[in-house]
Amino acid sequence: MVLTNRINYSVVIPVYNSENSLPELYERLVKVFIRLKQSFEIILVDDCSADASWEIMKTLKQQNHNLRLMRLGKNTGQFTATFCGVMKARGKTIITIDDDLQYPMTEITKLLNFYNENNLLAAYGYPIKKSPGLWDNLYLLLKRTA
């Protein structure tokens, strides 16, 4: 199967009780990809938040054509929320990030440059001072090969 879509990057973000960070997160991501002049989609996966995250996500969706939303029926954790978003991603390359604005979005550009210059199938970024866990990452990029 050959990918025929025109989306270069899918950014998958698991969301849990992030009503305060979502608008700024979306704005920062859009700026990064506009600067890169690349097609993209952002997939927000609500992991059954108890706050107004879902309502904010729906409001953002009304204003933005490149935003896709998913809502899980029960809280299943970050891994499952991320996996669900990855399975629905349409981009040639998938990027996963957290929803808490802990890491600067400008690091996406650095990681993408390294990733593309070295023709990698996957790249993983994490903070130097923090020991990374399986999904406690700055960014994970995966290239679709089929």
Side-chain angles (χ1 to χ4, degrees):
M1 180 176 133
V2 176
L3 284 176
T4 58
N5 63 34
R6 296 182 183 193
I7 298 172
N8 292 324
Y9 298 102
S10 293
V11 182
V12 176
I13 307 166
V15 174
Y16 184 72
N17 291 345
S18 299
E19 64 185 3
N20 294 324
S21 62
L22 287 172
E24 186 173 348
L25 172 67
Y26 183 81
E27 184 178 314
R28 289 182 189 184
L29 277 171
V30 169
K31 285 180 183 178
V32 166
F33 286 98
I34 287 173
R35 215 173 299 123
L36 290 171
K37 298 178 182 173
Q38 296 290 324
S39 62
F40 68 99
E41 67 178 355
I42 297 171
I43 302 171
L44 298 175
V45 182
D46 184 20
D47 191 19
C48 204
S49 295
D51 67 359
S53 293
W54 181 245
E55 287 73 27
I56 291 169
M57 289 165 61
K58 290 190 299 186
T59 300
L60 288 170
K61 172 66 178 159
Q62 291 173 354
Q63 305 162 6
N64 303 285
H65 70 281
N66 60 346
L67 181 61
R68 295 176 59 209
L69 306 179
M70 296 176 65
R71 188 178 198 191
L72 303 181
K74 65 179 184 174
N75 181 265
T76 56
Q78 184 178 7
F79 174 84
T80 302
T82 301
F83 186 75
C84 288
V86 167
M87 294 308 295
K88 295 293 184 180
R90 298 178 294 193
K92 181 180 175 186
T93 300
I94 301 168
I95 302 167
T96 68
I97 62 172
D98 292 339
D99 63 350
D100 59 6
L101 297 172
Q102 184 175 357
Y103 307 113
M105 296 299 128
T106 53
E107 293 297 307
I108 290 175
T109 304
K110 291 178 188 175
L111 191 58
L112 282 174
N113 288 339
F114 179 79
Y115 172 76
N116 290 321
E117 288 169 6
N118 293 287
N119 195 29
L120 300 173
L121 292 178
Y124 178 81
Y126 60 91
I128 293 171
K129 294 181 181 180
K130 188 176 180 181
S131 175
L134 180 60
W135 289 102
D136 187 19
N137 59 353
L138 177 53
Y139 309 103
L140 174 66
L141 297 100
L142 303 169
K143 187 177 292 182
R144 293 180 187 252
T145 57

